[in-house]
């Protein structure tokens, strides 16, 4: 099933999107976090649908989880070709030739305040950076609380999947020798348009593509992840509690702006679209 958070007549609502992607039925949940936590309990009402069905065109879609309860977990260098392009680009602080692929997943976070929704503007922050880049990513949404989750049990903790653009200020990422500052600017985490539940997608079988102003830049598949989703859940939950609604963005494939020669950064007026098979298309314009 496909769920969205949206605004209609001044109210923020959660709804189920129809199979044809045209309509949305409001659900009796206060928020997406509430829906995830009470999913079993609400199952009957979700199945029968709601009489007050709206056209998706009539509502404003928001990020599926507009205010995550903690930072968004992200994974760096999780596709081989991207690890090489990043290392070569000169924007990776401390890059060592021959050590492009890590032995353990590189995990960082983006703050909840960086989240925006589909069709929202992304600020280029020219007073802070002149090297804004996109990163199309498949993200997983956690469905239940857990710590020290083992690989073998990891699938049962996944509630669904969404799309994230891990927008990055490459100069901040390089100059400050860490990833948080470059990844955390306001509006740097477009998310959506929907969350698709885990019964409809396999985390190792998802195609992802990214376009900038209509030009295809990323075209990849999650079967090529260096650290697969169960490995990421095991690593991140080690001694650290994951809660319903927590988000793990699985990393971007090759084809980002710094992978081009010369690098091509985003500017005001650019449009980035990320399409994930089975979820939909996340489109944002940069200003
Ligand atoms: Mg990323």
């Amino acid at each position: 099933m496909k769920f969205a958070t949206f605004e209609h007549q001044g109210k923020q609502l959660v709804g189920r999107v129809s199979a044809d992607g045209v309509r949305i039925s409001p659900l009796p949940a206060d928020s997406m976090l509430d829906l995830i936590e009470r999913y079993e309990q609400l199952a009957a009402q979700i199945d029968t649908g709601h009489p007050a069905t709206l056209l998706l065109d009539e509502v404003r879609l928001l990020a599926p989880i507009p205010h995550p309860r903690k930072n968004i977990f992200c994974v760096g260098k999780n596709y081989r070709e991207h690890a090489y392009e990043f290392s070569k680009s000169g924007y990776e602080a401390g890059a060592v030739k021959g050590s492009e692929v890590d032995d353990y997943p590189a995990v960082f976070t983006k703050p909840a305040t960086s989240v925006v929704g589909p069709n929202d503007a992304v600020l280029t922050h020219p007073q802070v950076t002149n090297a804004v880049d996109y990163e199309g990513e498949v993200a997983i949404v956690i469905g239940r609380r857990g710590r020290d989750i083992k690989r073998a049990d990891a699938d049962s903790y996944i509630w669904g999947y969404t799309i994230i653009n891990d927008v990055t200020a490459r100069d901040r990422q390089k100059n400050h020798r860490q990833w948080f500052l470059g990844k955390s600017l306001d509006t740097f985490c477009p998310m959506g348009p929907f969350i698709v539940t885990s019964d409809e997608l396999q985390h190792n079988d998802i195609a992802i593509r990214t376009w900038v102003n209509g030009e295809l830049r990323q075209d990849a598949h999650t079967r090529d992840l260096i650290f697969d989703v169960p490995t990421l859940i095991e690593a991140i939950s080690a001694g650290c509690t994951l809660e319903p609604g927590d988000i793990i963005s699985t990393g971007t494939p090759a084809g980002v702006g710094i992978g081009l020669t010369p690098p091509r950064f985003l500017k005001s007026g650019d449009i980035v679209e990320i399409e994930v098979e089975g979820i939909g298309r996340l489109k944002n314009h940069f200003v």
Side-chain angles (χ1 to χ4, degrees), residues 74-76 108 135 137 166 183 251-252:
C74 299
V75 182
F108 61 95
E135 295 192 350
E137 306 196 5
D166 176 18
K183 303 274 192 176
T252 204

Side-chain angles (χ1 to χ4, degrees), residues 123-278:
L123 306 174
T124 52
H125 298 280
Q127 77 287 9
V128 177
T129 173
N130 53 24
V132 177
D133 206 352
Y134 54 90
E135 295 192 350
E137 306 196 5
V138 175
I140 61 170
V141 179
I142 295 294
R144 60 194 183 97
R145 196 179 169 87
R147 192 177 69 185
D148 300 324
I149 301 165
K150 294 298 164 208
R151 266 187 61 84
D153 303 324
D155 284 9
S156 69
Y157 286 83
I158 303 170
W159 188 71
Y161 300 89
T162 191
I163 307 171
I164 275 181
N165 187 348
D166 176 18
V167 182
T168 306
R170 297 295 181 197
D171 40 7
R172 301 270 289 171
Q173 184 181 28
K174 178 184 178 185
N175 296 342
H176 292 266
R177 303 187 65 80
Q178 47 62 62
W179 295 5
F180 183 79
L181 295 181
K183 303 274 192 176
S184 297
L185 280 59
D186 288 356
T187 73
F188 268 26
C189 190
M191 185 199 302
F194 311 119
I195 298 177
V196 172
T197 49
S198 58
D199 53 316
E200 291 191 10
L201 285 175
Q202 296 296 319
H203 49 70
N204 59 353
D205 190 21
I206 302 174
I208 178 164
R209 291 189 290 174
T210 305
W211 293 262
V212 178
N213 302 326
E215 178 190 336
L216 182 65
R217 296 280 186 88
Q218 296 184 295
D219 186 357
H221 197 281
T222 55
R223 77 169 84 88
D224 296 321
L225 285 172
I226 298 170
F227 303 103
D228 66 6
V229 167
T231 302
L232 298 178
I233 291 176
E234 183 176 277
I236 292 169
S237 73
C240 170
T241 298
L242 291 175
E243 300 170 285
D246 283 354
I247 299 159
I248 301 174
S249 202
T250 57
T252 204
V256 297
I258 48 164
L260 300 166
T261 312
R264 285 165 70 184
F265 296 113
L266 296 170
K267 55 187 190 314
S268 180
D270 286 344
I271 291 174
V272 178
E273 293 170 89
I274 305 165
E275 189 174 84
V276 170
E277 190 180 69

